[in-house]
Amino acid sequence: MAIFQLHICAAFLMGMILPSSALEDTFIAAVYEHAVILTGDTPRNVSRAEALELMNRNLDILEGAIKTAAQQGAHIIVTPEDALYGWVFTRETLYPYLENIPDPQVDWTPCNEPKRFGSNPIQGRLSCIAKENSIYVVANMGDKKPCNRSDPQCPSDGRYQYNTDVVYDTEGKFVARYHKYNLFASEVYFNYAKDPQFVTLNTSFGKLGLMTCADVLNYREPAISLVEKYKVDTILFPTAWQNGLPLLSAVEFYSAWAMGMRVNFLAANINKPSLDITGSGIFTPEGAKVYRFDMKTQTGKLLVAEINARPRLSPTYPPAVDWSLYASNIKHFPASPVFTASFYFDNFTFTELSQEAGNHTVCQKGLCCHLSYKMAEKREDEVYAFGAFDGLHVIEGEYYLQICTLLKCKSTDLKSCGEPVETAHTRFDSFTLSGTFNTSYVFPEVLLTETQLTTGEFQVLTDGRLTSNGLSKPVLSVALFGRWYERDPPHPEGAPS
Ligand SMILES: *[C@@H]1O[C@H](CO)[C@@H](O)[C@H](O)[C@H]1NC(C)=O
Ligand SMILES: *[C@@H]1O[C@H](CO)[C@@H](O)[C@H](O)[C@H]1NC(C)=O
Ligand SMILES: *[C@@H]1O[C@H](CO)[C@@H](O)[C@H](O)[C@H]1NC(C)=O
Ligand SMILES: *[C@@H]1O[C@H](CO)[C@@H](O)[C@H](O)[C@H]1NC(C)=O
Ligand SMILES: *[C@@H]1O[C@H](CO)[C@@H](O)[C@H](O)[C@H]1NC(C)=O
Ligand SMILES: *[C@@H]1O[C@H](CO)[C@@H](O)[C@H](O)[C@H]1NC(C)=O
């Protein structure tokens, strides 16, 4: 449909400028990984002027990246969560960094009318950067909303403080605002949005949806409805994500989420190697298009790629997967000895891959995972384990997981299986992994040595098998990472009605 329409327009308007409503088949996306200038090591009370000075220093760097992206033809750029001020705050010390961000329905171009809603220099500057460079800009900043006793939930300091994504269009118009719903445990200086917000945006390059950081892992909403109910083509994802090897490194998980949910995913992370924060990319239903993982330099990095505007209409759009079909219909492989070891405080049931090749079934609660594998060579100095986890994760967020994974253990001590490890030397000639999942939300992960991704070297079959006939680099982890949302406890601000 979209393709057809574009050709019609092009035929009629040959030699003329296309109207901005013309639909595009593909677009150029950009994300910027930013080495944020922080407020300091401990929270500090500062004046509004000092707060603005720091935010403007960060904005100077973002502006440079946005200009470059625009010169490379990007339609849109996503910048990271916390990119203007970092994360070292109390409620009080954050306050000078906040602006009152109105509902976008007010129809406002801050660059043209900077004072219309009081003093909002950061919103004004973001709007001007978008306008001057004719590019959609996605940024993350803090919103403050005064409240009083007429609202029983009003915090004692008389205001809500929201972690907020904002979007400006190519004319600098303020077009979207999203209050983060799933705050991370450490974000005590922000308030939860009362209900999940489903913020979407129609553009000539598809329907876009906003969410941030823990929204992709914690509660079901707004993430799942953005894709399934609102049918967005592309998720815009400012994030500040600390890598959790072996299963929750940023690029690994985002790439898997884009594949599992069959949606484009534009993730912009902070770069702060000393805190394990790096990993940005442009991900599609077919896999990672371009990504960055850099633990060495603490520098910014711009990533640009052309992707399908409406992946559902693309001939390469992957078919839906029945994640438990294969695993539920095969006989279990003979039982092998198991042991317990943990990843991120979750106790997995593992078996060691002690031979060069083999077949294993490992079960935990209702989840049974099957693996057939062949290594190129069984090394004495590296141990791999295969395991299952079926349970509620309760540390730094509560969410129910079902995971089947093959991973490299940190050392040859089996207790180390599931601990972070960065490099590997063992290649696999083949593997097939499957599990009896109770959920249809399963994200296929394949992570190679030094946190590298691959596309085209593995397949997800419609019966739920994750399979490969050989990977070009040694393996850190392979996983089917399932989220069983129905088993989650209620959201801290009350489950959406
Ligand atoms: C900031 O100032 C308030 C008083 O206005 C004080 O109570 C608070 O302890 C100060 N916070 C820091 C981190 O200095
Ligand atoms: C505070 O309460 C009054 C009613 O008591 C109301 O008119 C006013 O809009 C409230 N202000 C805010 C910021 O909620
Ligand atoms: C986007 O366009 C669709 C129709 O194409 C419309 O139903 C929907 O309300 C629009 N959404 C927004 C956020 O403008
Ligand atoms: C996981 O295993 C450890 C060590 O065996 C144990 O201390 C801990 O309580 C277990 N955690 C859960 C949630 O069962
Ligand atoms: C694993 O099982 C398959 C049949 O499912 C069999 O062909 C293969 O030989 C087995 N491999 C090993 C190492 O046992
Ligand atoms: C979960 O899946 C297992 C394996 O297919 C099945 O035995 C079990 O009944 C399912 N549990 C629920 C609550 O659906």
Side-chain angles (χ1 to χ4, degrees), residues 326 330 333 355-360 371-374:
Y326 180 81
I330 63 165
F333 295 120
Q355 307 295 316
E356 195 170 281
N359 295 311
H360 294 286
L371 173 72
S372 299
Y373 73 97
K374 185 175 176 319

Side-chain angles (χ1 to χ4, degrees), residues 327-340:
S328 303
N329 288 294
I330 63 165
K331 277 194 3 209
H332 289 195
F333 295 120
S336 22
V338 294
F339 62 95
T340 299

Side-chain angles (χ1 to χ4, degrees), residues 328 366 402 436-438 484 487:
S328 303
Q402 286 193 317
T436 59
F437 295 96
N438 294 91
W484 192 355
R487 294 242 158 149

Side-chain angles (χ1 to χ4, degrees), residues 84-147:
L84 301 185
Y85 43 64
W87 46 79
V88 185
F89 294 108
T90 62
R91 260 189 93 76
E92 195 155 31
T93 62
L94 178 68
Y95 186 68
Y97 295 84
L98 307 177
E99 291 189 356
N100 196 334
I101 307 173
D103 186 310
Q105 284 181 354
V106 295
D107 191 3
W108 182 35
T109 300
C111 188
N112 300 347
E113 295 177 277
K115 294 276 159 60
R116 181 165 155 207
F117 297 98
S119 172
N120 289 302
I122 297 300
Q123 293 172 81
R125 188 164 174 201
L126 284 167
S127 160
C128 289
I129 294 172
K131 182 179 172 183
E132 282 158 18
N133 296 286
S134 293
I135 184 173
Y136 278 85
V137 171
V138 183
N140 176 268
M141 60 185 287
D143 188 8
K144 59 179 177 188
K145 286 282 164 283
C147 54

Side-chain angles (χ1 to χ4, degrees), residues 300-334:
K301 172 85 176 174
L302 177 68
L303 302 172
V304 178
E306 183 169 2
I307 59 176
N308 287 322
R310 291 164 196 80
R312 288 180 188 84
L313 303 181
S314 152
T316 58
Y317 185 59
V321 175
D322 181 341
W323 290 102
S324 61
L325 184 61
Y326 180 81
S328 303
N329 288 294
I330 63 165
K331 277 194 3 209
H332 289 195
F333 295 120

Side-chain angles (χ1 to χ4, degrees), residues 340 342 345-347 392 394:
T340 299
S342 72
F345 307 99
D346 295 329
N347 290 341
L392 182 67
V394 295

